[in-house]
Amino acid sequence: MREEEPRSRLPQLRLDELLAELQARIDVARGTRDRVHSLLEAVLSVGRELELTQVLRRIVEAAAVLADAKYAALGVIGPDGDTLSQFLTVGLSDEEIARIGPYPTGKGLLGELIRHPQPLRLDDLREHSASTGCPAHHPEMRTFLGLPVRVRDEVFGNIYLTDKRGAAGFDDDDESVIATLAVAAGVAIDNARLYEEAQRQQRWLTATAEINRRLLSGSSRTQVVELIAQRACDISGARQADVLTVLPAGNGLHVELSFGGDLTGRAGADIPLEGTISGAACVEGAPVTSHDLAEDRRFPARADRYAGLGPAVAVPLGRAEGHTEGVLLLVRGPGEPEFTERETDPLLAFADQAALALELAERRRDAEQLAVLEDRDRIARDLHDLAIQRLFATGMTLQSASRFIDHPGASDRVLRAVGDLDETIKIIRSTIFGLRVREAGVGQGLRARAVHVVEEAHSALGFAPRLSMEGLLDTDVPPAVADHLVAVLGEALSNAARHAKAGRVEVVLQATGSQVVLTVQDDGVGIPAQGRRSGLRNLEERARSLGGTLTVTAPPNGGTTLNWTAPLEH
């Protein structure tokens, strides 16, 4: 009986081994089934999204789950094909990301997949020849799996996985599953980009139609330009926009309007063609992009103006016959995606339509100005041929009649009336001269010069200042005094545009019998107690050199009132 006991245990042991092996295979099959199910769920989850940003986020999250990786990332290759323009991560908290610093741009091991878009699996990433180590505060990583994501025939980016949980490293199954996910991701990304392009194109068309409606409804050029900048920012995701026009001499650009961001030093500024991204777009007549405008060494001339900003694109306006009328500059925030060719193509078409709209606005303004000038000619002709002649005849009649008046008081009154008529004739003649002065005649009369300076301040202020003039400005104000007054007016309006942040500016120019008085009043923030006074000192010196005065006051309702006077020499 004792010899039969071992024999009875042997079949039992073999049965246990077979059952254990069968259980193991069942577990493997169940694990494979679950993994395939998870892969299908991931593919469906990625494919359901239409927004590109959400698609990319779903891809990297699904990759981390499928490969059971502690850390995962998706790097999008930029337009240059050598660096990463976007980097999405899973496994790191916001605090950890902030401590690590800027996202990688494609150096070291990450760049290896950019240069060689093939699957790469490592048991210890630190031993690879391309590894350059981790930056400070970066968690230690050992195992690595990287695969490219292709969209059609183009490598869109790479999936990076590190530190597989509960295993020595990533295996063939992990690579196979992630490769399958990458194929599905390529299809989803392509669909999302097509959807995004269609949506963007529709928004550009809608914006163009809105601009045309504004133009046909009688909106001013300034309003149309502001709408162009605003819609360009909204659609492109830019933080700020500048609309620049070519200076009359053709040697630079003038910032006609600025939208968004810090407006200090932007609106109304003149910039050179050389060393600026806007100048490059104007000279080349084609879009020019920058991955980081503040750090781009190609454009050092105004780099300080764009500190703290990121990618930018400058698009020419009006490219007819090799001539560019202006430039539209769009700038995004730091760390945001670069402007791609897919974005610049519809933007360029929008810029062409915007340039046409601006040209129509300019032609309409010319037509309106011509109508105003023709009306002024008619008024001046009527004043000269009718009003002055009748006033002169009335004065002659009164002067002749005064000889027949015996009462001394009555005779004096008649003579004073004759003198008043003479002064009235002088005022009307001065008005006629101001009405008939053309743009080519700027500088011949104080009235016309003052109008010209106020019109020039329109673009810098963003609105038209209100101007009123009284007295014999063209006849009584000496040329030297007129030169100083025009310079003071230009400086006062420039100060209001740069510092006052005003919504209304009023200019009053008066010539009395003894002095000329210039008053410039705005509703802005006023002059700070510790503000710069160099500009005001210049205005005060001009007044003092003529024997006049300068006073700057703050009205009770806010703003600033500048009063500049100079005596008239007879």
Side-chain angles (χ1 to χ4, degrees), residues 323-343:
H323 178 67
T324 302
E325 297 292 338
V327 174
L328 172 62
L329 173 65
L330 301 174
V331 188
R332 285 175 173 161
E336 295 183 3
E338 298 181 36
F339 288 91
T340 64
E341 187 175 344
R342 294 175 180 270
E343 293 179 288

Side-chain angles (χ1 to χ4, degrees), residues 358-424:
L358 294 179
E359 183 69 18
L360 291 175
E362 191 70 21
R363 293 292 176 265
R364 189 181 66 183
R365 188 177 71 174
D366 291 343
E368 292 174 351
Q369 186 175 9
L370 181 60
V372 170
L373 293 176
E374 290 177 350
D375 196 43
R376 287 179 178 179
D377 280 343
R378 179 188 59 79
I379 295 172
R381 186 171 56 253
D382 291 345
L383 287 173
H384 182 272
D385 295 342
L386 301 175
I388 288 183
Q389 300 304 325
R390 297 195 63 168
L391 288 173
F392 185 75
T394 302
M396 293 290 292
T397 302
L398 290 174
Q399 192 172 15
S400 300
S402 65
R403 292 177 298 173
F404 301 102
I405 300 176
D406 297 331
H407 193 282
S411 178
D412 291 341
R413 288 186 179 183
V414 170
L415 291 177
R416 282 199 300 270
V418 172
D420 291 340
L421 287 175
D422 288 340
E423 289 297 325
T424 302

Side-chain angles (χ1 to χ4, degrees), residues 193-209 211 228 231-233 235-237 287 289 313-317 319 328 330 332 338-355:
R193 290 204 302 192
L194 291 174
Y195 174 78
E196 191 176 72
E197 288 175 15
Q199 292 292 103
R200 187 184 300 115
Q201 186 68 28
Q202 181 61 39
R203 295 183 69 187
W204 284 125
L205 292 175
T206 302
T208 301
I211 290 170
I228 290 171
R231 291 295 175 264
C233 277
I235 298 173
S236 66
T289 59
V313 60
V315 182
L317 297 173
R319 300 169 294 159
L328 172 62
L330 301 174
R332 285 175 173 161
E338 298 181 36
F339 288 91
T340 64
E341 187 175 344
R342 294 175 180 270
E343 293 179 288
T344 56
D345 286 345
L347 178 59
L348 190 59
F350 172 76
D352 289 339
Q353 292 296 322

Side-chain angles (χ1 to χ4, degrees), residues 54-67:
Q54 292 299 323
V55 170
L56 299 180
R57 173 59 60 183
R58 292 276 185 154
I59 291 170
V60 68
E61 290 174 349
V65 172
L66 290 173

